PDB file of all heavy atoms in Angstrom:
ATOM      1  N   HIS A   1      15.645-178.226  13.766  1.00 96.00           N
ATOM      2  CA  HIS A   1      16.274-178.028  15.077  1.00 96.00           C
ATOM      3  C   HIS A   1      17.030-179.281  15.505  1.00 96.00           C
ATOM      4  O   HIS A   1      16.885-180.356  14.914  1.00 96.00           O
ATOM      5  CB  HIS A   1      15.215-177.678  16.124  1.00 96.00           C
ATOM      6  CG  HIS A   1      14.270-178.802  16.434  1.00 96.00           C
ATOM      7  ND1 HIS A   1      14.604-179.860  17.255  1.00 96.00           N
ATOM      8  CD2 HIS A   1      13.004-179.036  16.031  1.00 96.00           C
ATOM      9  CE1 HIS A   1      13.587-180.686  17.343  1.00 96.00           C
ATOM     10  NE2 HIS A   1      12.599-180.223  16.606  1.00 96.00           N
ATOM     11  N   HIS A   2      17.818-179.118  16.564  1.00 96.00           N
ATOM     12  CA  HIS A   2      18.494-180.264  17.171  1.00 96.00           C
ATOM     13  C   HIS A   2      17.813-180.557  18.511  1.00 96.00           C
ATOM     14  O   HIS A   2      16.662-180.178  18.707  1.00 96.00           O
ATOM     15  CB  HIS A   2      19.987-179.976  17.274  1.00 96.00           C
ATOM     16  CG  HIS A   2      20.627-179.841  15.924  1.00 96.00           C
ATOM     17  ND1 HIS A   2      20.668-178.644  15.223  1.00 96.00           N
ATOM     18  CD2 HIS A   2      21.203-180.757  15.122  1.00 96.00           C
ATOM     19  CE1 HIS A   2      21.251-178.826  14.050  1.00 96.00           C
ATOM     20  NE2 HIS A   2      21.581-180.099  13.961  1.00 96.00           N
ATOM     21  N   ASN A   3      18.458-181.271  19.401  1.00 97.00           N
ATOM     22  CA  ASN A   3      17.781-181.684  20.634  1.00 97.00           C
ATOM     23  C   ASN A   3      17.277-180.477  21.421  1.00 97.00           C
ATOM     24  O   ASN A   3      18.058-179.618  21.815  1.00 97.00           O
ATOM     25  CB  ASN A   3      18.748-182.485  21.520  1.00 97.00           C
ATOM     26  CG  ASN A   3      19.304-183.695  20.805  1.00 97.00           C
ATOM     27  OD1 ASN A   3      18.570-184.509  20.285  1.00 97.00           O
ATOM     28  ND2 ASN A   3      20.630-183.792  20.762  1.00 97.00           N
ATOM     29  N   LEU A   4      15.964-180.430  21.638  1.00 97.00           N
ATOM     30  CA  LEU A   4      15.367-179.343  22.403  1.00 97.00           C
ATOM     31  C   LEU A   4      14.887-179.871  23.746  1.00 97.00           C
ATOM     32  O   LEU A   4      14.217-180.905  23.820  1.00 97.00           O
ATOM     33  CB  LEU A   4      14.180-178.731  21.656  1.00 97.00           C
ATOM     34  CG  LEU A   4      14.482-177.985  20.355  1.00 97.00           C
ATOM     35  CD1 LEU A   4      13.202-177.364  19.810  1.00 97.00           C
ATOM     36  CD2 LEU A   4      15.546-176.908  20.565  1.00 97.00           C
ATOM     37  N   LEU A   5      15.238-179.156  24.798  1.00 98.00           N
ATOM     38  CA  LEU A   5      14.825-179.518  26.150  1.00 98.00           C
ATOM     39  C   LEU A   5      13.971-178.409  26.738  1.00 98.00           C
ATOM     40  O   LEU A   5      14.421-177.274  26.873  1.00 98.00           O
ATOM     41  CB  LEU A   5      16.050-179.745  27.047  1.00 98.00           C
ATOM     42  CG  LEU A   5      15.757-179.907  28.544  1.00 98.00           C
ATOM     43  CD1 LEU A   5      14.974-181.196  28.804  1.00 98.00           C
ATOM     44  CD2 LEU A   5      17.042-179.899  29.355  1.00 98.00           C
ATOM     45  N   VAL A   6      12.717-178.745  27.062  1.00 98.00           N
ATOM     46  CA  VAL A   6      11.867-177.838  27.828  1.00 98.00           C
ATOM     47  C   VAL A   6      12.117-178.151  29.301  1.00 98.00           C
ATOM     48  O   VAL A   6      11.861-179.274  29.751  1.00 98.00           O
ATOM     49  CB  VAL A   6      10.377-178.039  27.487  1.00 98.00           C
ATOM     50  CG1 VAL A   6       9.512-177.086  28.304  1.00 98.00           C
ATOM     51  CG2 VAL A   6      10.141-177.823  25.995  1.00 98.00           C
ATOM     52  N   ALA A   7      12.669-177.198  30.028  1.00 98.00           N
ATOM     53  CA  ALA A   7      13.063-177.441  31.413  1.00 98.00           C
ATOM     54  C   ALA A   7      11.867-177.936  32.235  1.00 98.00           C
ATOM     55  O   ALA A   7      10.815-177.291  32.251  1.00 98.00           O
ATOM     56  CB  ALA A   7      13.637-176.177  32.031  1.00 98.00           C
ATOM     57  N   PRO A   8      12.011-179.082  32.892  1.00 97.00           N
ATOM     58  CA  PRO A   8      10.888-179.632  33.660  1.00 97.00           C
ATOM     59  C   PRO A   8      10.688-178.926  34.990  1.00 97.00           C
ATOM     60  O   PRO A   8      11.611-178.319  35.537  1.00 97.00           O
ATOM     61  CB  PRO A   8      11.316-181.090  33.885  1.00 97.00           C
ATOM     62  CG  PRO A   8      12.808-181.030  33.922  1.00 97.00           C
ATOM     63  CD  PRO A   8      13.190-179.959  32.929  1.00 97.00           C
ATOM     64  N   GLY A   9       9.452-179.004  35.496  1.00 96.00           N
ATOM     65  CA  GLY A   9       9.175-178.537  36.843  1.00 96.00           C
ATOM     66  C   GLY A   9       9.433-179.644  37.841  1.00 96.00           C
ATOM     67  O   GLY A   9      10.127-180.620  37.541  1.00 96.00           O
ATOM     68  N   LYS A  10       8.858-179.528  39.021  1.00 96.00           N
ATOM     69  CA  LYS A  10       9.126-180.494  40.093  1.00 96.00           C
ATOM     70  C   LYS A  10       8.000-181.497  40.306  1.00 96.00           C
ATOM     71  O   LYS A  10       8.179-182.482  41.018  1.00 96.00           O
ATOM     72  CB  LYS A  10       9.396-179.740  41.394  1.00 96.00           C
ATOM     73  CG  LYS A  10      10.637-178.858  41.347  1.00 96.00           C
ATOM     74  CD  LYS A  10      10.876-178.163  42.676  1.00 96.00           C
ATOM     75  CE  LYS A  10      12.135-177.300  42.625  1.00 96.00           C
ATOM     76  NZ  LYS A  10      12.386-176.598  43.917  1.00 96.00           N
ATOM     77  N   LYS A  11       6.844-181.260  39.706  1.00 97.00           N
ATOM     78  CA  LYS A  11       5.691-182.123  39.958  1.00 97.00           C
ATOM     79  C   LYS A  11       5.638-183.283  38.965  1.00 97.00           C
ATOM     80  O   LYS A  11       5.839-183.091  37.754  1.00 97.00           O
ATOM     81  CB  LYS A  11       4.390-181.321  39.858  1.00 97.00           C
ATOM     82  CG  LYS A  11       4.220-180.254  40.937  1.00 97.00           C
ATOM     83  CD  LYS A  11       2.877-179.562  40.788  1.00 97.00           C
ATOM     84  CE  LYS A  11       2.647-178.558  41.919  1.00 97.00           C
ATOM     85  NZ  LYS A  11       3.570-177.405  41.812  1.00 97.00           N
ATOM     86  N   ASP A  12       5.345-184.503  39.473  1.00 97.00           N
ATOM     87  CA  ASP A  12       5.103-185.625  38.588  1.00 97.00           C
ATOM     88  C   ASP A  12       3.697-185.507  38.003  1.00 97.00           C
ATOM     89  O   ASP A  12       2.985-184.528  38.249  1.00 97.00           O
ATOM     90  CB  ASP A  12       5.303-186.954  39.318  1.00 97.00           C
ATOM     91  CG  ASP A  12       4.357-187.140  40.510  1.00 97.00           C
ATOM     92  OD1 ASP A  12       3.389-186.359  40.644  1.00 97.00           O
ATOM     93  OD2 ASP A  12       4.582-188.075  41.312  1.00 97.00           O
ATOM     94  N   PHE A  13       3.281-186.515  37.232  1.00 97.00           N
ATOM     95  CA  PHE A  13       1.992-186.419  36.550  1.00 97.00           C
ATOM     96  C   PHE A  13       0.832-186.281  37.536  1.00 97.00           C
ATOM     97  O   PHE A  13      -0.053-185.444  37.354  1.00 97.00           O
ATOM     98  CB  PHE A  13       1.790-187.654  35.670  1.00 97.00           C
ATOM     99  CG  PHE A  13       0.494-187.656  34.917  1.00 97.00           C
ATOM    100  CD1 PHE A  13       0.259-186.728  33.914  1.00 97.00           C
ATOM    101  CD2 PHE A  13      -0.498-188.566  35.219  1.00 97.00           C
ATOM    102  CE1 PHE A  13      -0.943-186.716  33.214  1.00 97.00           C
ATOM    103  CE2 PHE A  13      -1.700-188.565  34.535  1.00 97.00           C
ATOM    104  CZ  PHE A  13      -1.925-187.641  33.531  1.00 97.00           C
ATOM    105  N   ARG A  14       0.840-187.052  38.596  1.00 97.00           N
ATOM    106  CA  ARG A  14      -0.232-186.946  39.589  1.00 97.00           C
ATOM    107  C   ARG A  14      -0.224-185.572  40.261  1.00 97.00           C
ATOM    108  O   ARG A  14      -1.270-184.994  40.573  1.00 97.00           O
ATOM    109  CB  ARG A  14      -0.098-188.053  40.633  1.00 97.00           C
ATOM    110  CG  ARG A  14      -0.425-189.440  40.085  1.00 97.00           C
ATOM    111  CD  ARG A  14      -0.462-190.482  41.199  1.00 97.00           C
ATOM    112  NE  ARG A  14      -0.807-191.782  40.681  1.00 97.00           N
ATOM    113  CZ  ARG A  14      -2.044-192.204  40.454  1.00 97.00           C
ATOM    114  NH1 ARG A  14      -3.057-191.394  40.721  1.00 97.00           N
ATOM    115  NH2 ARG A  14      -2.284-193.401  39.984  1.00 97.00           N
ATOM    116  N   GLY A  15       0.974-185.046  40.470  1.00 98.00           N
ATOM    117  CA  GLY A  15       1.084-183.710  41.037  1.00 98.00           C
ATOM    118  C   GLY A  15       0.509-182.655  40.114  1.00 98.00           C
ATOM    119  O   GLY A  15      -0.102-181.677  40.571  1.00 98.00           O
ATOM    120  N   MET A  16       0.670-182.845  38.797  1.00 98.00           N
ATOM    121  CA  MET A  16       0.100-181.906  37.833  1.00 98.00           C
ATOM    122  C   MET A  16      -1.425-181.973  37.862  1.00 98.00           C
ATOM    123  O   MET A  16      -2.101-180.945  37.776  1.00 98.00           O
ATOM    124  CB  MET A  16       0.624-182.222  36.434  1.00 98.00           C
ATOM    125  CG  MET A  16       2.124-181.991  36.266  1.00 98.00           C
ATOM    126  SD  MET A  16       2.586-180.240  36.290  1.00 98.00           S
ATOM    127  CE  MET A  16       2.037-179.735  34.665  1.00 98.00           C
ATOM    128  N   LEU A  17      -1.974-183.183  37.993  1.00 98.00           N
ATOM    129  CA  LEU A  17      -3.430-183.323  38.103  1.00 98.00           C
ATOM    130  C   LEU A  17      -3.945-182.606  39.348  1.00 98.00           C
ATOM    131  O   LEU A  17      -4.967-181.910  39.302  1.00 98.00           O
ATOM    132  CB  LEU A  17      -3.818-184.798  38.150  1.00 98.00           C
ATOM    133  CG  LEU A  17      -3.672-185.608  36.860  1.00 98.00           C
ATOM    134  CD1 LEU A  17      -3.965-187.080  37.137  1.00 98.00           C
ATOM    135  CD2 LEU A  17      -4.599-185.080  35.767  1.00 98.00           C
ATOM    136  N   ARG A  18      -3.228-182.770  40.449  1.00 98.00           N
ATOM    137  CA  ARG A  18      -3.662-182.116  41.688  1.00 98.00           C
ATOM    138  C   ARG A  18      -3.589-180.602  41.563  1.00 98.00           C
ATOM    139  O   ARG A  18      -4.452-179.882  42.084  1.00 98.00           O
ATOM    140  CB  ARG A  18      -2.817-182.614  42.866  1.00 98.00           C
ATOM    141  CG  ARG A  18      -3.136-184.050  43.292  1.00 98.00           C
ATOM    142  CD  ARG A  18      -2.495-184.369  44.626  1.00 98.00           C
ATOM    143  NE  ARG A  18      -1.039-184.417  44.531  1.00 98.00           N
ATOM    144  CZ  ARG A  18      -0.348-185.512  44.256  1.00 98.00           C
ATOM    145  NH1 ARG A  18      -0.983-186.667  44.040  1.00 98.00           N
ATOM    146  NH2 ARG A  18       0.966-185.487  44.203  1.00 98.00           N
ATOM    147  N   GLU A  19      -2.552-180.109  40.883  1.00 97.00           N
ATOM    148  CA  GLU A  19      -2.444-178.664  40.712  1.00 97.00           C
ATOM    149  C   GLU A  19      -3.599-178.131  39.863  1.00 97.00           C
ATOM    150  O   GLU A  19      -4.147-177.062  40.153  1.00 97.00           O
ATOM    151  CB  GLU A  19      -1.116-178.286  40.057  1.00 97.00           C
ATOM    152  CG  GLU A  19      -0.966-176.785  39.862  1.00 97.00           C
ATOM    153  CD  GLU A  19       0.409-176.379  39.361  1.00 97.00           C
ATOM    154  OE1 GLU A  19       1.312-177.225  39.330  1.00 97.00           O
ATOM    155  OE2 GLU A  19       0.569-175.195  38.994  1.00 97.00           O
ATOM    156  N   MET A  20      -3.984-178.859  38.817  1.00 98.00           N
ATOM    157  CA  MET A  20      -5.104-178.416  37.993  1.00 98.00           C
ATOM    158  C   MET A  20      -6.403-178.450  38.784  1.00 98.00           C
ATOM    159  O   MET A  20      -7.222-177.539  38.670  1.00 98.00           O
ATOM    160  CB  MET A  20      -5.229-179.294  36.745  1.00 98.00           C
ATOM    161  CG  MET A  20      -6.404-178.885  35.854  1.00 98.00           C
ATOM    162  SD  MET A  20      -6.432-179.684  34.238  1.00 98.00           S
ATOM    163  CE  MET A  20      -6.700-181.394  34.693  1.00 98.00           C
ATOM    164  N   GLY A  21      -6.591-179.481  39.585  1.00 97.00           N
ATOM    165  CA  GLY A  21      -7.796-179.571  40.400  1.00 97.00           C
ATOM    166  C   GLY A  21      -9.010-179.998  39.609  1.00 97.00           C
ATOM    167  O   GLY A  21      -9.461-181.134  39.679  1.00 97.00           O
ATOM    168  N   ARG A  22      -9.536-179.088  38.831  1.00 97.00           N
ATOM    169  CA  ARG A  22     -10.715-179.359  38.002  1.00 97.00           C
ATOM    170  C   ARG A  22     -10.434-178.875  36.589  1.00 97.00           C
ATOM    171  O   ARG A  22     -10.045-177.720  36.383  1.00 97.00           O
ATOM    172  CB  ARG A  22     -11.950-178.642  38.543  1.00 97.00           C
ATOM    173  CG  ARG A  22     -13.207-178.811  37.693  1.00 97.00           C
ATOM    174  CD  ARG A  22     -14.378-178.036  38.292  1.00 97.00           C
ATOM    175  NE  ARG A  22     -15.602-178.228  37.525  1.00 97.00           N
ATOM    176  CZ  ARG A  22     -15.950-177.499  36.460  1.00 97.00           C
ATOM    177  NH1 ARG A  22     -15.143-176.517  36.057  1.00 97.00           N
ATOM    178  NH2 ARG A  22     -17.076-177.743  35.822  1.00 97.00           N
ATOM    179  N   GLY A  23     -10.616-179.758  35.607  1.00 97.00           N
ATOM    180  CA  GLY A  23     -10.378-179.358  34.235  1.00 97.00           C
ATOM    181  C   GLY A  23     -10.258-180.552  33.324  1.00 97.00           C
ATOM    182  O   GLY A  23     -10.685-181.669  33.656  1.00 97.00           O
ATOM    183  N   LEU A  24      -9.641-180.329  32.170  1.00 98.00           N
ATOM    184  CA  LEU A  24      -9.539-181.351  31.130  1.00 98.00           C
ATOM    185  C   LEU A  24      -8.101-181.812  30.956  1.00 98.00           C
ATOM    186  O   LEU A  24      -7.198-181.001  30.775  1.00 98.00           O
ATOM    187  CB  LEU A  24     -10.056-180.787  29.801  1.00 98.00           C
ATOM    188  CG  LEU A  24      -9.968-181.710  28.591  1.00 98.00           C
ATOM    189  CD1 LEU A  24     -10.918-182.896  28.739  1.00 98.00           C
ATOM    190  CD2 LEU A  24     -10.261-180.933  27.307  1.00 98.00           C
ATOM    191  N   LEU A  25      -7.907-183.119  31.008  1.00 98.00           N
ATOM    192  CA  LEU A  25      -6.631-183.734  30.647  1.00 98.00           C
ATOM    193  C   LEU A  25      -6.734-184.184  29.195  1.00 98.00           C
ATOM    194  O   LEU A  25      -7.600-185.001  28.859  1.00 98.00           O
ATOM    195  CB  LEU A  25      -6.332-184.933  31.552  1.00 98.00           C
ATOM    196  CG  LEU A  25      -5.231-185.894  31.069  1.00 98.00           C
ATOM    197  CD1 LEU A  25      -3.878-185.197  31.002  1.00 98.00           C
ATOM    198  CD2 LEU A  25      -5.165-187.130  31.969  1.00 98.00           C
ATOM    199  N   VAL A  26      -5.887-183.647  28.328  1.00 98.00           N
ATOM    200  CA  VAL A  26      -5.911-183.991  26.912  1.00 98.00           C
ATOM    201  C   VAL A  26      -4.828-185.016  26.616  1.00 98.00           C
ATOM    202  O   VAL A  26      -3.648-184.791  26.902  1.00 98.00           O
ATOM    203  CB  VAL A  26      -5.699-182.738  26.032  1.00 98.00           C
ATOM    204  CG1 VAL A  26      -5.552-183.128  24.563  1.00 98.00           C
ATOM    205  CG2 VAL A  26      -6.870-181.774  26.190  1.00 98.00           C
ATOM    206  N   THR A  27      -5.234-186.145  26.037  1.00 97.00           N
ATOM    207  CA  THR A  27      -4.290-187.201  25.676  1.00 97.00           C
ATOM    208  C   THR A  27      -4.212-187.429  24.175  1.00 97.00           C
ATOM    209  O   THR A  27      -3.332-188.144  23.707  1.00 97.00           O
ATOM    210  CB  THR A  27      -4.658-188.522  26.359  1.00 97.00           C
ATOM    211  OG1 THR A  27      -5.979-188.920  25.944  1.00 97.00           O
ATOM    212  CG2 THR A  27      -4.630-188.386  27.875  1.00 97.00           C
ATOM    213  N   GLU A  28      -5.127-186.819  23.423  1.00 96.00           N
ATOM    214  CA  GLU A  28      -5.115-186.972  21.966  1.00 96.00           C
ATOM    215  C   GLU A  28      -5.711-185.736  21.316  1.00 96.00           C
ATOM    216  O   GLU A  28      -6.700-185.182  21.803  1.00 96.00           O
ATOM    217  CB  GLU A  28      -5.913-188.205  21.545  1.00 96.00           C
ATOM    218  CG  GLU A  28      -5.870-188.465  20.045  1.00 96.00           C
ATOM    219  CD  GLU A  28      -6.629-189.715  19.624  1.00 96.00           C
ATOM    220  OE1 GLU A  28      -7.451-190.210  20.423  1.00 96.00           O
ATOM    221  OE2 GLU A  28      -6.402-190.188  18.498  1.00 96.00           O
ATOM    222  N   LEU A  29      -5.091-185.300  20.224  1.00 95.00           N
ATOM    223  CA  LEU A  29      -5.601-184.169  19.451  1.00 95.00           C
ATOM    224  C   LEU A  29      -5.900-184.620  18.033  1.00 95.00           C
ATOM    225  O   LEU A  29      -5.195-185.465  17.472  1.00 95.00           O
ATOM    226  CB  LEU A  29      -4.581-183.031  19.428  1.00 95.00           C
ATOM    227  CG  LEU A  29      -4.388-182.284  20.754  1.00 95.00           C
ATOM    228  CD1 LEU A  29      -3.187-181.359  20.672  1.00 95.00           C
ATOM    229  CD2 LEU A  29      -5.642-181.515  21.130  1.00 95.00           C
ATOM    230  N   LEU A  30      -6.939-184.029  17.451  1.00 92.00           N
ATOM    231  CA  LEU A  30      -7.387-184.408  16.119  1.00 92.00           C
ATOM    232  C   LEU A  30      -7.481-183.165  15.244  1.00 92.00           C
ATOM    233  O   LEU A  30      -7.786-182.069  15.720  1.00 92.00           O
ATOM    234  CB  LEU A  30      -8.758-185.081  16.190  1.00 92.00           C
ATOM    235  CG  LEU A  30      -8.879-186.262  17.169  1.00 92.00           C
ATOM    236  CD1 LEU A  30     -10.334-186.648  17.344  1.00 92.00           C
ATOM    237  CD2 LEU A  30      -8.067-187.441  16.683  1.00 92.00           C
ATOM    238  N   GLY A  31      -7.244-183.323  13.944  1.00 85.00           N
ATOM    239  CA  GLY A  31      -7.395-182.207  13.029  1.00 85.00           C
ATOM    240  C   GLY A  31      -6.199-181.276  13.020  1.00 85.00           C
ATOM    241  O   GLY A  31      -5.247-181.437  13.790  1.00 85.00           O
ATOM    242  N   GLN A  32      -6.257-180.294  12.139  1.00 84.00           N
ATOM    243  CA  GLN A  32      -5.133-179.373  11.942  1.00 84.00           C
ATOM    244  C   GLN A  32      -5.567-177.921  12.095  1.00 84.00           C
ATOM    245  O   GLN A  32      -5.147-177.049  11.349  1.00 84.00           O
ATOM    246  CB  GLN A  32      -4.526-179.597  10.545  1.00 84.00           C
ATOM    247  CG  GLN A  32      -4.054-181.004  10.282  1.00 84.00           C
ATOM    248  CD  GLN A  32      -2.910-181.414  11.184  1.00 84.00           C
ATOM    249  OE1 GLN A  32      -2.053-180.594  11.520  1.00 84.00           O
ATOM    250  NE2 GLN A  32      -2.876-182.681  11.578  1.00 84.00           N
ATOM    251  N   GLY A  33      -6.414-177.628  13.057  1.00 90.00           N
ATOM    252  CA  GLY A  33      -6.982-176.297  13.204  1.00 90.00           C
ATOM    253  C   GLY A  33      -6.076-175.294  13.885  1.00 90.00           C
ATOM    254  O   GLY A  33      -6.441-174.740  14.927  1.00 90.00           O
ATOM    255  N   VAL A  34      -4.908-175.046  13.316  1.00 96.00           N
ATOM    256  CA  VAL A  34      -3.974-174.062  13.872  1.00 96.00           C
ATOM    257  C   VAL A  34      -3.600-173.069  12.774  1.00 96.00           C
ATOM    258  O   VAL A  34      -3.097-173.456  11.727  1.00 96.00           O
ATOM    259  CB  VAL A  34      -2.697-174.740  14.419  1.00 96.00           C
ATOM    260  CG1 VAL A  34      -1.771-173.691  15.029  1.00 96.00           C
ATOM    261  CG2 VAL A  34      -3.043-175.807  15.443  1.00 96.00           C
ATOM    262  N   ASN A  35      -3.856-171.795  13.017  1.00 97.00           N
ATOM    263  CA  ASN A  35      -3.504-170.742  12.073  1.00 97.00           C
ATOM    264  C   ASN A  35      -2.177-170.137  12.517  1.00 97.00           C
ATOM    265  O   ASN A  35      -2.114-169.407  13.514  1.00 97.00           O
ATOM    266  CB  ASN A  35      -4.602-169.675  12.048  1.00 97.00           C
ATOM    267  CG  ASN A  35      -4.383-168.621  10.975  1.00 97.00           C
ATOM    268  OD1 ASN A  35      -3.255-168.214  10.701  1.00 97.00           O
ATOM    269  ND2 ASN A  35      -5.466-168.173  10.356  1.00 97.00           N
ATOM    270  N   MET A  36      -1.108-170.429  11.776  1.00 96.00           N
ATOM    271  CA  MET A  36       0.218-169.984  12.189  1.00 96.00           C
ATOM    272  C   MET A  36       0.429-168.484  11.971  1.00 96.00           C
ATOM    273  O   MET A  36       1.386-167.917  12.489  1.00 96.00           O
ATOM    274  CB  MET A  36       1.292-170.768  11.432  1.00 96.00           C
ATOM    275  CG  MET A  36       1.406-172.230  11.865  1.00 96.00           C
ATOM    276  SD  MET A  36       1.701-172.431  13.640  1.00 96.00           S
ATOM    277  CE  MET A  36       3.257-171.579  13.815  1.00 96.00           C
ATOM    278  N   VAL A  37      -0.451-167.837  11.231  1.00 97.00           N
ATOM    279  CA  VAL A  37      -0.324-166.386  11.027  1.00 97.00           C
ATOM    280  C   VAL A  37      -0.910-165.632  12.216  1.00 97.00           C
ATOM    281  O   VAL A  37      -0.312-164.666  12.710  1.00 97.00           O
ATOM    282  CB  VAL A  37      -1.017-165.958   9.724  1.00 97.00           C
ATOM    283  CG1 VAL A  37      -0.936-164.442   9.551  1.00 97.00           C
ATOM    284  CG2 VAL A  37      -0.390-166.672   8.532  1.00 97.00           C
ATOM    285  N   THR A  38      -2.061-166.070  12.696  1.00 97.00           N
ATOM    286  CA  THR A  38      -2.737-165.366  13.795  1.00 97.00           C
ATOM    287  C   THR A  38      -2.529-166.025  15.152  1.00 97.00           C
ATOM    288  O   THR A  38      -2.723-165.392  16.188  1.00 97.00           O
ATOM    289  CB  THR A  38      -4.247-165.300  13.533  1.00 97.00           C
ATOM    290  OG1 THR A  38      -4.789-166.635  13.536  1.00 97.00           O
ATOM    291  CG2 THR A  38      -4.537-164.646  12.191  1.00 97.00           C
ATOM    292  N   GLY A  39      -2.179-167.326  15.148  1.00 97.00           N
ATOM    293  CA  GLY A  39      -2.045-168.060  16.396  1.00 97.00           C
ATOM    294  C   GLY A  39      -3.351-168.681  16.870  1.00 97.00           C
ATOM    295  O   GLY A  39      -3.378-169.339  17.921  1.00 97.00           O
TER     296      GLY A  39
END
């Protein structure tokens, strides 16, 4: 592919945290556990 742009929303990072409220912020992923046939 060439330059891909995912259109941004209006909330900054802190705004995204506030919208989530309670949950997990992921900053690192490990392993290759993705099945591209089934998703």
